[in-house]
Amino acid sequence: MITLLLLVAAIVGCLVVMRREAGALPAVAVLAVLGVLGLVLDAEIIGVLLLIAAAGIAICGLKPLRRLWLSPRLFKVFKKIAPKVSETERVALDAGTVAWDGELFSGRPDWKRLLAFDNPGLSDEEQAFIDHQCAVAAGMCNAWEIARERADMPPELWDYLKKERFFGMIIPKAYGGLEFSAKAQSAVLQKLAFNETLMSTVGVPNSLGPGELLLKYGTEEQKNHYLPRLADGRDIPCFALTGPRAGSDATSIPDVGIVCRGMHEGKEVLGLKLTFEKRWITLAPIATVVGLAFRMFDPDNLLERGESDIGISCALIPRETEGMQIGRRHHPIGSPFMNGPIRGKDVFIPLDYLIGGLEMAGQGWRMLVECLSVGRCITLPSGAAGTGRYAVGWTGGFARIRRQFNIAVADMEGVQEPLARLAAKAYISQAAVMQTANTIDHGVKPAVPSAILKSQLTEFQREMMIDAMDVHGGRTVTLGPRNYLGIGFSATPVSITVEGANIMTRNLMIFGQGAIRCHPYVLDELAAKDSNDFAAFDKLFFRHTGLIFGNAARAFTQALGLGRAEVPFDSLAKPYAQEVARLSSAFGLCADAAMASLGAKLKQREMISARLGDVLSNLYLLSMVLKQWHDSDRVDGEAALFHYSCRFLLNRAEQALVELYENLPNRALAHLLAGITMPLGRRWHKPQDSLTRDIAKAISTDTALRHKLTRNTWDSWEEGQQENPLARYNALLANAERAETIYRTLAKARAKRELPEAALHPEQWIEAGLEAGLLSEEDAVFMRAHEAEVLDMLTVDDFDFDAFTSQQPSANHERQTHTTPA
């Protein structure tokens, strides 16, 4: 009995020391005291074993002892197996800042650090712009006309966007811009997201492009000249980075600029002779100024730097520059936003065209990745979140007014499932975009979160659009002016592909960059290796070891329900925040285990890296949902959606861990990790059906939750504007309860054969019900108008026989078509 008690005491004592990452000395003390106690109490075997364990930890863990024999050997091995970080990787690692993503990597996230990012919301000026200017711009936008008839936005819409400085949201007021916060930029793009062309056209100049590069790196002369012109639309910018052989691997740019002398404005000046071929460049066909990324060389040492390869550089080139070929268009799938190629051979530009001047020559890659970390957090994720807002509004409205089998399809469980999924992904997307933009407004440059948001939310966008299309059925698989969903659905691959394809981002960037950038010790350990600093390595390595043991202890005990983390949330959110803390410890342990067991090979084991990235991504998204819940005012019905969203993300995080354990090459290690992090198996399953039913009803009826999910959308209509389907659905739902009562009355009457058998249409039911005294005249008038509006919202377009052909069919072909037997 004494032996068992001593063993339990030793285990508990060591777990406490490990959880606190207290170091080797407390562990030695615990084991030594228990060992001596065992000898005193005549439990010699356990006493001796505990003393041996104490001696082993002392030899390996106490600084004076370990430095004599262990640390030098570890340093030697580490130098051999540690991955080599290329210069381009190092630039990417140095770009941006680490905030909440670093907390998740630590295994012991400090929630107070996240909650410290207070969110004051939008300013009155910003909200007014969203309410008015965005609504006016939206009302000028006819999706069918833009996609199929013009292949462009109408001139009056272009003029309005320029006049109201939509292209200058990031430009300071001193240069004539709007100087909006990141949150406001996101809100604008979300409101415009009902149309991919409009959203992209406004988003790109405010994301990665000449405007942002000039703000951060341009010379004063460049800023003073270009920023006012970009703000008011006199200049339309594009940025040419991607080419036929440099897509996701942007550092492999084959476009070159050779330092030489040439003629510019009648004078011989030092400049660059550029040869380049770019494609997929948004706004290129109409751009008046082109930002260009290229590889700069100085073979004749004209810059007197003593090096030929200067590196990736960025220049700003006016459209009319001789030799630049620009104006042709690509045809992006589903959305005809302006996009096209740019080419040039031996195009001469002066060195003054370099963004930031000669001082920034060769700094292009750093410039790009630093800007991308912010822009990629806003534009496409905001488009995805905005798409979710509209998809909820449209799909919930349609599902309520569309009736089959005498009930609204929103009341069918098969339809409720995609409705709830759609609502949860929209809810998560809104929280993630808003809260991450809020950190940007606090000065954070979120490199890893930008990769998470870009890949995860655009995947959500694709899934939300699929669910919306499935619920709508024939209503939106038939294209035409009435179809508010189909064109946007077909454009979703654009968001998946651009600004870092999702396959690459998920497999290489989220964990690949985060493992080094966000880990508390790895980046510093690599620096110690590169500088051959043994003392720094010894200190960092054993702190790192303490973190590994700490994460193992925290993950194991919390999985058993012991020592749950203290979190500053209310009773509804607390269990989920505690699960984030538990899974953060499990993630940190697994990340270190994968890096230790695979070493440099982890770069090639992309599926392993992707699953680790999936764990981190779901924990980050869940943290943003918790922050949003903590910060915002709740509405009736929101708790169900909050529970659904949290459980959905926790289920995905655990699934990623399970798949990781099933595929780790070292099977013994995989079983050990599973035993530590999931000793009782999985804790989180998919959300319950009861939550699904509650959410589906809430978004398909006129509720506070529906209004919250569709807030800051284009949901109004004014005379002279284009038709607004969301406004029409909202009006129908406002009266849906009254209509439903009448539908039930008529359905019962039909079942009792109180209405004529020949009355097969709702319009006939109404008249028969009025005649039979089942409906009042007032109800009949209401239902006639209601049913007419419903039918109009369910109607799809049809066209002339040859409307889709670019050439009219011959008379002979037409005769054959119409005379061939069916």
Side-chain angles (χ1 to χ4, degrees):
M1 187 63 179
I2 292 175
T3 297
L4 180 60
L5 289 174
L6 290 173
L7 182 60
V8 170
I11 292 172
V12 171
C14 287
L15 284 174
V16 171
V17 171
M18 290 164 61
R19 280 179 58 102
R20 295 179 178 178
E21 297 178 33
L25 186 58
V28 170
V30 168
L31 294 175
V33 169
L34 291 174
V36 171
L37 189 59
L39 295 177
V40 171
L41 297 175
D42 296 327
E44 290 88 356
I45 295 176
I46 190 66
V48 171
L49 290 175
L50 291 173
L51 289 173
I52 291 172
I57 293 175
I59 293 171
C60 296
L62 296 179
K63 185 191 294 186
L65 298 177
R66 73 182 185 232
R67 285 193 171 187
L68 293 176
W69 71 282
L70 181 59
S71 295
R73 290 172 171 80
L74 291 173
F75 195 31
K76 186 176 181 179
V77 171
F78 184 77
K79 288 180 178 179
K80 291 181 179 180
I81 68 171
K84 294 181 179 179
V85 180
S86 68
E87 183 58 31
T88 54
E89 288 176 315
R90 188 170 296 281
V91 170
L93 290 171
D94 290 339
T97 56
V98 176
W100 183 247
D101 43 335
E103 293 292 322
L104 292 174
F105 255 95
S106 74
R108 49 183 191 278
D110 181 1
W111 290 98
K112 292 179 181 178
R113 185 177 181 190
L114 179 63
L115 298 183
F117 293 115
D118 62 293
N119 187 354
L122 304 178
S123 70
D124 292 342
E125 178 187 7
E126 291 169 338
Q127 188 63 58
F129 186 90
I130 292 162
D131 292 341
H132 178 66
Q133 280 89 338
C134 288
V136 172
M140 300 167 72
C141 192
N142 181 306
W144 179 255
E145 179 187 68
I146 289 172
R148 298 300 293 266
E149 296 175 0
R150 288 182 178 273
D152 189 11
M153 297 188 302
E156 58 270 21
L157 179 52
W158 276 105
D159 292 342
Y160 185 77
L161 296 177
K162 294 175 182 179
K163 172 176 172 278
E164 297 298 334
R165 301 174 189 262
F166 276 83
F167 302 132
M169 287 193 292
I170 66 170
I171 295 176
K173 292 181 178 179
Y175 296 103
L178 296 175
E179 198 173 342
F180 276 178
S181 66
K183 293 191 293 293
Q185 295 171 46
S186 175
V188 167
L189 297 178
Q190 288 184 62
K191 186 155 187 173
L192 304 182
F194 74 97
N195 184 271
E196 175 71 17
T197 299
L198 177 60
M199 193 282 295
S200 299
T201 301
V202 173
V204 168
N206 290 286
S207 182
L208 174 63
E212 188 172 10
L213 291 170
L214 285 170
L215 274 173
K216 293 184 177 180
Y217 310 107
T219 65
E220 287 304 312
E221 183 179 357
Q222 290 171 338
K223 292 178 183 179
N224 290 331
H225 174 74
Y226 278 114
L227 290 179
R229 298 176 62 84
L230 292 172
D232 62 19
R234 282 176 289 167
D235 272 328
I236 298 294
C238 71
F239 192 81
L241 175 61
T242 305
R245 289 185 170 85
S248 296
D249 182 12
T251 59
S252 64
I253 295 173
D255 311 289
V256 298
I258 308 297
V259 179
C260 62
R261 294 190 178 277
M263 299 300 295
H264 178 69
E265 296 181 350
K267 299 179 182 178
E268 184 181 78
V269 297
L270 196 59
L272 293 160
K273 186 181 291 184
L274 298 165
T275 297
F276 53 91
E277 182 175 3
K278 304 290 189 178
R279 66 182 179 191
W280 299 320
I281 310 305
T282 300
L283 294 181
I286 59 167
T288 61
V289 59
V290 176
L292 183 75
F294 59 93
R295 191 71 173 265
M296 183 173 172
F297 294 92
D298 183 16
D300 298 326
N301 197 30
L302 297 178
L303 300 180
E304 298 181 353
R305 288 191 175 190
E307 55 183 351
S308 174
D309 186 354
I310 305 299
I312 295 174
S313 303
C314 298
L316 206 54
I317 308 172
R319 181 188 183 96
E320 62 273 11
T321 299
E322 184 178 355
M324 186 159 64
Q325 301 172 37
I326 186 172
R328 294 183 63 82
R329 292 183 66 175
H330 298 311
H331 194 298
I333 185 170
S335 175
F337 61 90
M338 288 293 169
N339 187 279
I342 307 175
R343 301 178 180 90
K345 182 174 176 59
D346 295 337
V347 176
F348 182 79
I349 63 169
L351 291 178
D352 289 347
Y353 283 10
L354 286 171
I355 297 177
L358 191 57
E359 182 181 342
M360 297 305 295
Q363 300 299 309
W365 181 236
R366 177 171 67 86
M367 295 159 65
L368 292 172
V369 295
E370 287 181 351
C371 289
L372 191 63
S373 67
V374 174
R376 205 162 50 155
C377 255
I378 296 176
T379 304
L380 291 175
S382 298
T387 296
R389 291 180 187 271
Y390 286 102
V392 165
W394 295 331
T395 312
F398 173 84
R400 181 54 57 189
I401 70 165
R402 174 64 166 165
R403 299 180 67 82
Q404 296 286 275
F405 310 106
N406 291 324
I407 63 171
V409 298
D411 294 330
M412 298 177 177
E413 289 196 353
V415 174
Q416 289 173 342
E417 195 170 9
L419 284 177
R421 276 199 307 263
L422 197 167
K425 289 170 185 174
Y427 187 68
I428 295 165
S429 299
Q430 290 176 28
V433 169
M434 171 59 72
Q435 296 303 330
T436 305
N438 185 52
T439 66
I440 294 172
D441 289 333
H442 281 271
V444 175
K445 298 177 182 178
V448 174
S450 74
I452 292 173
L453 262 62
K454 192 276 167 181
S455 63
Q456 295 291 319
L457 298 195
T458 55
E459 289 293 342
F460 277 7
Q461 179 180 3
R462 172 157 57 183
E463 294 161 2
M464 288 187 291
M465 292 296 268
I466 289 172
D467 279 335
M469 289 290 291
D470 285 353
V471 172
H472 279 83
R475 173 65 177 85
T476 51
V477 298
T478 306
L479 285 176
R482 291 174 176 270
N483 190 331
Y484 44 78
L485 194 59
I487 292 173
F489 169 77
S490 62
T492 52
V494 175
S495 298
I496 300 294
T497 303
V498 300
E499 289 194 18
N502 283 3
I503 289 177
M504 179 204 70
T505 302
R506 174 176 176 261
N507 286 272
L508 295 178
M509 294 187 65
I510 295 174
F511 181 76
Q513 186 176 7
I516 298 176
R517 187 73 182 90
C518 301
H519 194 284
Y521 301 113
V522 169
L523 189 60
D524 291 335
E525 286 171 338
L526 292 174
K529 178 205 72 169
D530 293 341
S531 62
N532 201 33
D533 189 339
F534 170 73
F537 170 80
D538 174 76
K539 180 180 179 181
L540 291 164
F541 182 85
F542 283 94
R543 285 185 176 178
H544 189 165
T545 302
L547 176 66
I548 294 172
F549 281 108
N551 280 334
R554 285 187 290 269
F556 180 72
T557 55
Q558 291 179 50
L560 296 176
L562 304 173
R564 306 302 297 274
E566 289 296 323
V567 295
F569 291 98
D570 64 20
S571 58
L572 261 69
K574 182 177 180 179
Y576 301 121
Q578 289 176 327
E579 281 299 288
V580 171
R582 175 180 76 87
L583 290 174
S584 172
S585 296
F587 166 71
L589 176 65
C590 292
D592 280 316
M595 288 189 285
S597 62
L598 292 171
K601 293 181 181 178
L602 185 55
K603 278 187 178 182
Q604 286 75 48
R605 301 304 298 264
E606 294 176 18
M607 289 184 282
I608 298 294
S609 178
R611 293 181 183 107
L612 287 164
D614 288 344
V615 180
L616 178 64
S617 296
N618 284 287
L619 295 182
Y620 183 85
L621 295 177
L622 179 50
S623 300
M624 298 302 103
V625 171
L626 291 167
K627 175 73 161 57
Q628 185 91 331
W629 175 263
H630 181 273
D631 286 354
S632 63
D633 295 330
R634 296 81 179 265
V635 299
D636 289 343
E638 186 174 352
L641 185 54
F642 174 71
H643 285 305
Y644 185 110
S645 301
C646 293
R647 294 174 189 184
F648 169 77
L649 292 169
L650 286 169
N651 174 263
R652 290 186 0 141
E654 283 196 337
Q655 181 62 32
L657 283 174
V658 169
E659 292 176 8
L660 174 69
Y661 301 149
E662 290 173 347
N663 291 280
L664 268 179
N666 188 323
R667 301 311 303 147
L669 177 62
H671 290 305
L672 177 63
L673 291 172
I676 292 173
T677 61
M678 295 183 179
L680 302 179
R682 296 186 61 169
R683 298 173 59 94
W684 295 98
H685 302 285
K686 292 183 178 179
Q688 300 98 320
D689 290 350
S690 58
L691 293 175
T692 297
R693 287 189 288 268
D694 290 345
I695 294 166
K697 182 177 181 180
I699 69 166
S700 63
T701 51
D702 187 25
T703 63
L705 181 59
R706 174 183 166 87
H707 287 295
K708 181 169 185 175
L709 288 174
T710 59
R711 184 180 298 163
N712 281 338
T713 54
W714 180 46
D715 58 0
S716 60
W717 184 86
E718 296 179 10
E719 188 174 350
Q721 289 188 327
Q722 299 292 335
E723 182 180 301
N724 187 342
L726 182 55
R728 295 181 70 180
Y729 278 130
N730 286 343
L732 282 167
L733 293 192
N735 295 310
E737 187 173 346
R738 179 182 179 186
E740 183 61 34
T741 301
I742 298 173
Y743 281 131
R744 284 196 295 267
T745 298
L746 295 174
K748 289 178 181 178
R750 291 185 69 212
K752 294 178 180 179
R753 300 183 182 276
E754 295 176 355
L755 299 182
E757 291 184 357
L760 301 178
H761 292 288
E763 293 84 356
Q764 294 172 323
W765 306 343
I766 295 167
E767 300 309 322
L770 177 62
E771 185 176 338
L774 299 173
L775 299 183
S776 67
E777 180 64 35
E778 182 182 358
D779 282 344
V781 170
F782 163 75
M783 283 303 294
R784 289 180 192 125
H786 179 81
E787 199 58 44
E789 180 71 356
V790 167
L791 182 60
D792 193 58
M793 290 301 291
L794 298 178
T795 299
V796 298
D797 298 286
D798 53 67
F799 300 86
D800 291 338
F801 175 80
D802 56 359
F804 307 132
T805 61
S806 57
Q807 297 180 346
Q808 297 299 315
S810 66
N812 182 53
H813 172 75
E814 191 169 343
R815 283 196 301 274
Q816 289 178 347
T817 300
H818 290 288
T819 59
T820 301

